[in-house]
Amino acid sequence: MPHTIHAEPLTNLCRDIFAAAGTPTDIAAIVAESLVTTNLFGHDSHGVLRVKQYITMIRAGMTQPGQRPRVIKRFGATAMVDGGYGFGQVGARFAAELARQLGAEYGIAAVSLGQTTHIGRLGEYTAHIAAAGLIGIGFTSGTMYSGWVAPYGGRERVFGTNPMSFAAPGSGGETLLLDFATAGVAHGKIVLAHAKAEPVPSGMMLDRHGNPSTDAQLLDEGAVLLPMGLHKGSGLAMMMELIPTLLAGHRPISAPDFSFGNPTLLLALSPEAFDDHTDFAAQVAALQARVKAVQPAAGFDEVLLPGEPEARAYARRIKTGIPLPDAVWADLRELADELGVAIQSRQ
Ligand code: NAD
């Protein structure tokens, strides 16, 4: 039975746990809000499941919880941001805001974020750019050539799950948001399957001998994830591995057994800087309407737009609360206990 808890007490609990582990309150609040919003959008793999991992990283010196991002290089409409190995959510929000400002000023902007820990849901940052009427594009690399994902045809881990995201501003402030891992399934979804004792969807994973497997536990025993879309996803994963990492000048933290980072490149394009005769937002809305009107294929009830599953999850969960697997709730309670954090009674 999952434990269901409303967004507000869950946010407060996570904020208090991060604060009790030495995170300044404003940063703790940003990270907690980002994780819980990700749960609200239905991506439990990148929500509060991560609190335990983040606390472990603080304790191991891999995350510097008080570090704030800073611009280390500017060149016209481009900028490099150094996250100082602080929380990735803080660095990525900062980079997205800078991309938004530079994009509005120059018509195009590219901002990289390096020396960063996990940024969470990439779409949070592209959507921030789109909320200002700009097209937001994001590329993120996982682990510096030591990730979970095998290149197409192989059975050795090379790539991170390397997400990419596109956010197009539509009419009435509606954003068309696409946001996914270039792995067939995000690593966090395997962790979640493990926590729920469920199988991984078929076609997503090979065991260490290169045979198809759906056993989430095997990831601890040398299994590899497969890229989405066969050779095409494999190629995208390779580009995601290189471009953000190198443009961010990212160097992984040198801790034993640790090469994680989430270097990110955010692009902002202003439609106003291009064709004067195109109402970009109206065209986005028109294409959305056309796609929604398509007759469903056999086995489908309707055609969904990118972002629609997340919007529906949000509408549901903001009312009914967020169902957490027992293992995730047990981790949060244990951390609260260890750190002397009270759990609010309204859940
Ligand atoms: P996913 O496989 O659920 O795909 C999500 C995307 O597909 C969304 O844009 C969604 O709206 C769209 N989508 C889903 N079903 C659809 C349908 N039926 N019709 C049309 N569109 C549909 O997502 P994922 O790959 O598991 O990624 C989940 C989250 O994890 C993302 O927010 C991603 O940024 C994040 N992530 C982060 C990292 C990291 O290193 N920080 C790594 C991997 C993933």
Side-chain angles (χ1 to χ4, degrees), residues 98-316:
L98 185 56
R100 183 162 140 155
Q101 287 169 17
L102 292 174
E105 189 180 344
Y106 292 97
I108 184 167
V111 177
S112 64
L113 169 69
Q115 327 327 332
T116 176
T117 60
H118 195 237
I119 62 158
R121 188 175 67 92
L122 178 59
E124 175 181 336
Y125 316 108
T126 54
H128 179 75
I129 294 169
L134 304 165
I135 301 161
I137 301 174
F139 304 144
T140 295
S141 162
T143 44
M144 299 286 286
Y145 326 142
S146 62
W148 305 100
V149 181
Y152 180 63
R155 63 180 170 102
E156 285 176 36
R157 299 171 173 182
V158 179
F159 308 133
T161 51
N162 300 358
M164 56 195 295
S165 174
F166 295 82
S171 33
E174 294 269 324
T175 294
L176 177 62
L177 179 62
L178 182 65
D179 172 27
F180 56 73
T182 52
V185 63
H187 171 252
K189 292 210 161 110
I190 311 275
V191 177
L192 194 63
H194 200 328
K196 292 173 161 179
E198 288 176 357
V200 176
S202 61
M204 302 292 171
M205 206 174 95
L206 301 178
D207 67 18
R208 69 192 162 97
H209 306 294
N211 299 310
S213 172
T214 58
D215 183 350
Q217 292 201 41
L218 291 187
L219 209 59
D220 295 333
E221 296 168 32
V224 298
L225 300 185
L226 293 172
M228 66 167 198
L230 309 173
H231 56 288
K232 301 179 189 181
S234 184
L236 280 175
M238 192 163 181
M239 291 298 180
M240 294 305 116
E241 193 77 31
L242 283 172
I243 295 170
T245 309
L246 301 182
L247 296 192
H250 179 81
R251 290 170 302 284
I253 306 169
S254 53
D257 306 325
F258 184 77
S259 64
F260 185 77
N262 239 183
T264 294
L265 182 71
L266 292 170
L267 307 174
L269 295 167
S270 170
E272 286 173 15
F274 293 85
D275 184 15
D276 289 330
H277 307 291
T278 299
D279 183 338
F280 186 88
Q283 291 303 320
V284 170
L287 182 59
Q288 285 178 295
R290 172 70 190 102
V291 170
K292 280 306 288 179
V294 166
Q295 289 300 311
F300 290 83
D301 295 329
E302 62 177 325
V303 174
L304 293 176
L305 296 169
E308 220 173 348
E310 288 79 9
R312 288 183 184 182
Y314 189 98
R316 201 172 52 247

